[in-house]
Amino acid sequence: MKDSIGTLALGLLFGFCLHRIGFGSWDEVHKMFTFASLRLTLGFGLAVVILAIGFSIIAKLQHPKWAPRPIHKGTLAGGLLFGVGWAVCGACPSIALVQLGDGQWLALWTLLGIVAGNALYAPIHARFFKFDSGSCSPD
């Protein structure tokens, strides 16, 4: 229970920070994707640098079996679909939750699309693509 409360508190803090930075605003996200404003782009880039440093520290502290997963065939197409969806609706999954917390009820449509996309992925992948998509399990 203590871990759940800590996780909830950290998630709320993260959502609050994303909201204050401007990631919950469709207009700000649009400016980022059209390079009209570099504020969010630079914030996103700083987050990537911090995560890269964090992952390298984790890799040194963890047992030798820890390693990033290899990139597979669907990464490019999946990244493209994710980016197009983010640009169209102004939200990735976490930002849709931030928008809901901000009272932007249209984010429910975004969340519905996220859920539908996840539900459709497995049958579409099994029918048309059939390549190994890897596993999140450490084994």
Side-chain angles (χ1 to χ4, degrees):
M1 181 69 175
K2 188 178 179 181
D3 288 340
S4 297
I5 292 171
T7 301
L8 176 64
L10 190 60
L12 288 172
L13 177 65
F14 181 62
F16 177 77
C17 290
L18 288 173
H19 168 72
R20 293 295 297 157
I21 291 169
F23 272 105
S25 166
W26 188 91
D27 293 328
E28 290 296 320
V29 172
H30 178 72
K31 288 178 189 175
M32 176 181 73
F33 280 113
T34 59
F35 300 108
S37 172
L38 293 180
R39 189 174 63 81
L40 290 184
T41 306
L42 294 174
F44 201 90
L46 178 62
V48 169
V49 168
I50 291 170
L51 284 172
I53 293 168
F55 281 138
S56 67
I57 291 170
I58 290 171
K60 290 186 188 323
L61 296 177
Q62 291 286 333
H63 53 83
K65 286 177 67 175
W66 187 85
R69 293 187 331 174
I71 295 175
H72 61 80
K73 296 179 195 177
T75 302
L76 180 62
L80 183 64
L81 283 171
F82 182 84
V84 167
W86 193 7
V88 167
C89 64
C92 65
S94 62
I95 298 303
L97 295 173
V98 170
Q99 289 173 340
L100 274 180
D102 191 33
Q104 299 179 36
W105 298 111
L106 289 176
L108 286 172
W109 288 105
T110 303
L111 288 172
L112 181 65
I114 292 166
V115 170
N118 278 299
L120 291 172
Y121 170 77
I124 289 173
H125 182 272
R127 180 172 171 111
F128 297 108
F129 301 111
K130 300 178 185 163
F131 54 81
D132 180 21
S133 60
S135 171
C136 292
S137 69
D139 297 327

